[in-house]
Amino acid sequence: MSRALRTTVLISGSGSNLQALIDACGAGKIPAQIIHVISNVAAAPGLQRARQAGIGTSVLEHGGFADRADFDRALALLIAAGEPQLVVLAGFMRIIGPAVLEPFRGRIINLHPSLLPLYPGTGTYQRALDAGDRQHGASIHFVTGELDGGPVISQVVVPVLAGDDAASLAARLGPQEHRLVVATVELFATRRVESRDGDVLVDGERLARPLRLQADDRLVA
Ligand code: GRF
């Protein structure tokens, strides 16, 4: 596994997306290795998932820090200690600033439950329902200083069905997010994707629109 992409995952909660990555790496489905899991919430159930898989964990709660910049500096050091090649924010519910973004620019991605640029921020399911959208989805994007605003790499779409509420829509999207995060980390692990001048390059070509996840788990332009 020496060539496996060294990946650090940041979480705040359940860690079901982390689990999908652990499973895919463990099964040899993607040439990546989760080397470190960091949570800003000590009680995050995802930490237990990591421990069960024998992955080193760290907890960094912002309560102990004077301000946001102080926390970010500590987080950057903690991430850097593992020497990751990729940092995945998978349900990490905290905005991070330049101290983290600068050293890892182009190597930090975030999973967000909407078809960006629609609905950055929270409450995406209800916002999609309120707007009468016929479809919803999830996106993975490079993290920049703008909340949920960096270049979008990949998306998965689910239908909005009559009678849906936020919970049913979230339940439909969850398993699709798991597929999306695995397929997108595979793109990094196989060195097929990079960020350049605010664009996403896949196999050296600029993406005109995000890749879409297909039923057979392929990401297609
Ligand atoms: C996911 O829905 C993701 O889109 C959002 O937070 C949730 C994380 O779920 N950012 P989990 O912790 O991976 O189960």
Side-chain angles (χ1 to χ4, degrees), residues 11-19 49 89-93 110-114 125 138 173-174 177-178:
I11 61 166
S12 300
S14 143
S16 67
N17 286 283
L18 165 67
Q19 187 70 56
R49 298 178 188 269
L89 310 187
F92 186 67
M93 302 303 285
N110 179 49
L111 169 65
H112 180 74
S114 81
Y125 308 101
L173 185 58
E177 288 188 318
H178 302 161

Side-chain angles (χ1 to χ4, degrees), residues 165-209:
D165 58 15
S168 64
L169 192 49
R172 187 171 310 121
L173 185 58
Q176 305 310 319
E177 288 188 318
H178 302 161
R179 296 174 54 234
L180 183 69
V181 77
V182 168
T184 305
V185 169
E186 183 177 23
L187 277 187
F188 283 86
T190 52
R191 278 72 174 172
R192 293 184 55 206
V193 64
E194 61 182 302
S195 149
R196 194 181 299 166
D197 308 327
D199 285 321
V200 178
L201 269 63
V202 174
D203 299 329
E205 301 276 342
R206 269 169 223 280
L207 282 189
R209 68 189 79 82

Side-chain angles (χ1 to χ4, degrees), residues 110-197:
N110 179 49
L111 169 65
H112 180 74
S114 81
L115 295 172
L116 291 170
L118 291 176
Y119 317 129
T122 57
T124 64
Y125 308 101
Q126 193 57 51
R127 288 157 75 193
L129 291 168
D130 291 347
D133 293 350
R134 305 281 298 275
Q135 54 179 29
H136 191 56
S139 305
I140 294 181
H141 63 93
F142 284 106
V143 179
T144 63
E146 193 188 337
L147 176 67
D148 299 325
V152 180
I153 304 162
S154 58
Q155 294 183 321
V156 66
V157 178
V158 296
V160 176
L161 302 180
D164 263 339
D165 58 15
S168 64
L169 192 49
R172 187 171 310 121
L173 185 58
Q176 305 310 319
E177 288 188 318
H178 302 161
R179 296 174 54 234
L180 183 69
V181 77
V182 168
T184 305
V185 169
E186 183 177 23
L187 277 187
F188 283 86
T190 52
R191 278 72 174 172
R192 293 184 55 206
V193 64
E194 61 182 302
S195 149
R196 194 181 299 166
D197 308 327

